[in-house]
Amino acid sequence: MTTTTSIGGGTGGGGDDRVLATAQQILKSLNTAKEDRQDMLLIFSSFDNRLSGISDLVNGEDSKSSSDEDLDRFEAAEKVILADASHSGEPSRQSTSLFDPPNGPVEYLSAVDEIILWMEQFSIAPPPPPSSSGRIRQVTVDRAENAIQLAMSRLEEELRHVLICNTIPLDAVSSYGSIRRVSLSFASHDCAIDENLGSFGEVSDRGSHRFHERGASLGDDDLFVDLVRPDAVPDLREIIDRMVRSGYERECLQVYSSVRRDALDECLATLGVERLSIEEVQKVEWKSLDEKMKNWVQAAKVVVGVLLSGEKRLCDTLFGDLDEFKEICFNETAKGCVMQLLNFGEAISICKRSPEKLFRILDMYEALRDALPDLQAMVSDELVISEAKGVLSGLGEAAKGTFAEFENCIRNETSKKPVVTGDVHPLPRYVMNYLKLLVDYGDPMDSLLEITEEDLYRFQNDFGGDGSQLEAMSPLGRQILLLMSELEYNLVEKSRLYEDSAMQQIFLMNNLYYLVRKVKDSDLGKVLGDDWIRKRRGQIRQYATGYLRACWSKALSCLKDEGIGGSSSNASKMALKERFKSFNACFEEIYRIQTAWKVPDDQLREELRISISEKVLPAYRAFMGRFGSQLEGRHAGKYIKYTPDDLETYLSDLFEGSPAVLHHIRRKST
C-alpha cells in the first residue's frame, strides 16, 4: 500500500522525511536572509506540525559557528593551563611566580576565566538527552573540571607565594618605630618591681619616683600600618576572586589564614611574646617572668589596637562583599594570635601570688580590659571572646589575691630585730613605695576591691578610727587607710623592742615622719587627706617631747637649785661638785650613745637639736652663772668641763649615726 503525503494531511515515517527535505530545499533555493527564512519557517510549521522540527535544524546551522568559536576558546584556555601544569616539577616553575616580573598573569588568568565561563554555561543549560552530542558535552565538562583543578592548585601556590613575599615584618613596618615607642611606654617601670621593693632589708628610696611612669596609651590616634605591601593587593584580589568563583572558597581560606597566622606569630615574637605552656610559665624565675609580663602588656595593646585592626582592613579590602567568608577568614587568622596571648594571661592568673607581681598583673588586667571592646567588635568567634572574658576575670581575681597577700605581709611582719640606730625601718620604706605606685592604679583597683565587715571592725576597734571616714572614701582609698593604720600599729609594736624609752620615741618619730613626708609628697596625700597629715604631725611633736622627757630629764635635774644648800653665796661646794660631775656624766653618756642614733631627715634632725638646745643650754648657762664662781681654782676644770658653747657644738654631733666619744681637754684654772 502506497502512502501519499500532502501538506495538509496524511502521516508516515518516509513521508515526514520527504516533507522536511522538501522544505529545506525550498529554503536553500530562495537564498533569503536569516530573518526572512525564520518567517517562512513559521508559515511552514503552521501548515503541518511535521515541519515544526525544521526550525531547530536551521537554528542549529546558524549557531554552529558560535559553538565552534566557544570550543576553540575553551581548548586554547585549556592548553595554557595544561602547559603550565606540565612544568610544575621543573625548578624554573618552582622558583617563579605568575606575578613576578617579567612574567605577566594576564594570559593565565584569562584562561582561567574562560574555563570558569565554560563551566558556568554548562551548569545553567539543561542536561542533553543521552546521545552522541550529550557524550561530547560530558567529555568537555570533564576536561573543564580537570583544567579548573589544575588552575586552582596553581592559584593556591600563587596566593601563598604572593602573601608570603609581600608580608611586611613588624620591625620593617614604616610606623613600627611609633608602635615601639608607644608600646614601650605601656609598661615603663624600667626597673623590675622587686628591685625597688625587694625584701624589707634591701629597699632604698632611690629611683622610686620612676614607679609613677605608668606610660601612654594608643588613645584616639590609632596607628594604621600596612601588613602587606599595597602593590600586591590587586594581585591578591585577582587570585581570590577566581578561587571563590570556582567554588574553592575553603582552599582559599586555608591558604590565606595559614599564611597570615604565621605572620602574626612572627609579630608576637618581635614584640617579645614566646609560645609557652601554662606549666612552663609557672616555672619561670620572677626576674625573667617580670620581663615577659611587661612584653605581654605591650603586645596585647599593639596586637589588638594595631595588628588585628590592620588584618581586619586587609580582609575587608581583599574579600569585598563576601561578608560571611571574610568574617570566617579574619576569625581564623586572628584566633591563634589571640589565644596565645590569652594562654599566657591565664597562666599568670593562676601563678603563685606574691606582692611584687601585683603591678604587672594590674598592667595586664588593664591592657586586656581596655582591648576587649575592640576585640569584641572585630572577632565574632564566641569561643575566643568567652576565653578573653574568662582570662580578664582571672587576672582581676589574681590582682585581688595578690593585694591580700601584700596586706598579710604587713600584718605578719613581726621580725624581732630592731634597727640599731633607730632609723626608718625597712617595712615602711617597702610599704610606702608600694602604695605610691598602687595609687596610680586607682581605676582598676576601685573596680576590684571592696571593704569587708572585718576590715571595718578592725579600723574602728583596733585602730580607733572613724567608720564614717572609710565610707566616704574610694575602695582603694579605704584599703590604703586600713593599710596605713596597720603599718602604724606594727611600728608601735616594733618600738617596744627597744629597752631605752628615749630610743623608742626616736624610732617612732623617725618612722612616722617618713610616712608623713611620703604621703605629702605623692598622690597618697589626696587619698588620705590633710586631716590625716595634720594628726600625724601632732604625733611627731609628741614623740619629740617624749624623747626630751625620757632622755634629758636626769641631766636637767642636775641643774636645779634644790639640794645644794641654798643661795649661790652659801651653796655647798661638795654638792655643787656632785651636780657638775653628774651632769657631765649624763651628757657624756648621752653623747656616746646618741651620736650612734640616727635621724635621717636633715630638717627633722636640726629641729630636734634645736629643741634640745632650747631645753639644755639656758638651764646650763643659768646654773653656771649662779654657782660656777664658787668652784674657781686649780681644780675647777675637773668639774666644769664644758662651756655652754662647748655643749652647743657637741649637740650638733647627735643623731648622725656615727658613734663618738668626748675627749675632754682639761682647762687651766683662771
Side-chain angles (χ1 to χ4, degrees), residues 446-471:
D446 283 342
S447 67
L448 294 172
L449 294 175
E450 57 184 23
I451 192 167
T452 64
E453 291 296 327
E454 181 184 356
D455 291 333
L456 188 60
Y457 177 86
R458 280 180 60 76
F459 183 69
Q460 292 175 318
N461 294 276
D462 294 356
F463 310 132
D466 180 4
S468 62
Q469 183 183 7
L470 278 184
E471 293 175 1

Side-chain angles (χ1 to χ4, degrees), residues 606-632:
E606 188 59 30
E607 288 176 356
L608 189 59
R609 288 170 179 167
I610 291 171
S611 297
I612 297 170
S613 297
E614 289 174 347
K615 287 282 185 182
V616 175
L617 295 182
Y620 188 73
R621 282 194 181 96
F623 192 79
M624 279 192 67
R626 290 194 301 273
F627 303 111
S629 60
Q630 297 188 37
L631 295 180
E632 290 180 352

Side-chain angles (χ1 to χ4, degrees), residues 112-131:
V112 174
D113 290 339
E114 196 63 49
I115 302 297
I116 293 173
L117 182 60
W118 185 269
M119 294 291 292
E120 288 173 348
Q121 288 175 343
F122 280 127
S123 66
I124 295 172
S131 63

Side-chain angles (χ1 to χ4, degrees), residues 571-579 631:
S572 167
K573 287 189 177 182
M574 184 63 68
L576 284 175
K577 290 177 181 179
E578 287 301 320
R579 289 291 182 90
L631 295 180

Side-chain angles (χ1 to χ4, degrees), residues 15 53 55 70 87 106 156 171 251 259 304 306 310 326 340 365 377 495 525 530 592 598 635:
S55 175
D70 290 344
H87 300 295
V106 175
E156 279 187 50
D171 53 5
E251 289 79 2
V259 174
V304 177
V306 179
K326 67 185 175 187
Q340 183 176 339
Y365 176 84
S495 73
D530 293 337
R592 181 183 65 81
K598 188 170 184 179
H635 301 293

Side-chain angles (χ1 to χ4, degrees), residues 202-240:
E202 300 173 351
V203 183
S204 72
D205 293 324
R206 291 181 300 171
S208 61
H209 65 279
R210 295 201 291 177
F211 284 157
H212 294 281
E213 297 174 12
R214 289 296 315 286
S217 64
L218 284 172
D220 297 326
D221 299 325
D222 293 332
L223 292 171
F224 295 98
V225 299
D226 288 322
L227 306 176
V228 170
R229 290 183 179 85
D231 56 2
V233 170
D235 295 340
L236 291 169
R237 293 189 66 171
E238 296 276 15
I239 297 170
I240 291 169

Side-chain angles (χ1 to χ4, degrees), residues 93 167 171 260 338 355 357 409 452 485 508 516 530 573 602:
R93 156 68 187 273
T167 292
D171 53 5
R260 294 310 304 159
V338 174
K357 295 178 182 176
C409 283
T452 64
S485 301
L508 289 171
V516 169
D530 293 337
K573 287 189 177 182
D602 294 342

Side-chain angles (χ1 to χ4, degrees), residues 246-370:
S246 301
Y248 280 72
E249 297 97 335
R250 180 177 297 179
E251 289 79 2
C252 181
L253 167 65
Q254 289 174 344
V255 172
Y256 180 88
S257 59
S258 173
V259 174
R260 294 310 304 159
R261 274 199 306 266
D262 291 346
L264 289 177
D265 286 346
E266 290 182 12
C267 289
L268 282 182
T270 301
L271 292 168
V273 178
E274 304 173 54
R275 189 179 294 279
L276 298 171
S277 67
I278 291 178
E279 293 75 16
E280 289 171 327
V281 171
Q282 301 207 7
K283 292 177 182 177
V284 177
E285 293 289 333
W286 164 239
K287 187 174 182 180
S288 177
L289 184 63
D290 176 63
E291 189 66 25
K292 294 181 189 303
M293 293 169 75
K294 182 168 65 173
N295 290 341
W296 189 95
V297 172
Q298 299 170 19
K301 293 178 179 265
V302 172
V303 165
V304 177
V306 179
L307 299 180
L308 291 188
S309 62
E311 286 293 339
K312 190 74 166 62
R313 287 194 302 275
L314 183 61
C315 274
D316 290 344
T317 301
L318 294 179
F319 298 103
D321 297 331
L322 303 170
D323 294 337
E324 183 178 356
F325 183 67
K326 67 185 175 187
E327 178 182 339
I328 296 171
C329 203
F330 174 76
N331 285 340
E332 288 299 311
T333 299
K335 184 176 181 179
C337 175
V338 174
M339 292 304 294
Q340 183 176 339
L341 286 172
L342 295 179
N343 286 342
F344 183 85
E346 181 183 4
I348 292 299
S349 70
I350 59 177
C351 273
K352 181 180 178 182
R353 292 167 183 171
S354 55
E356 70 273 9
K357 295 178 182 176
L358 177 61
F359 306 106
R360 290 287 181 242
I361 293 174
L362 286 171
D363 284 337
M364 292 177 66
Y365 176 84
E366 280 191 295
L368 184 54
R369 181 200 64 187
D370 295 344

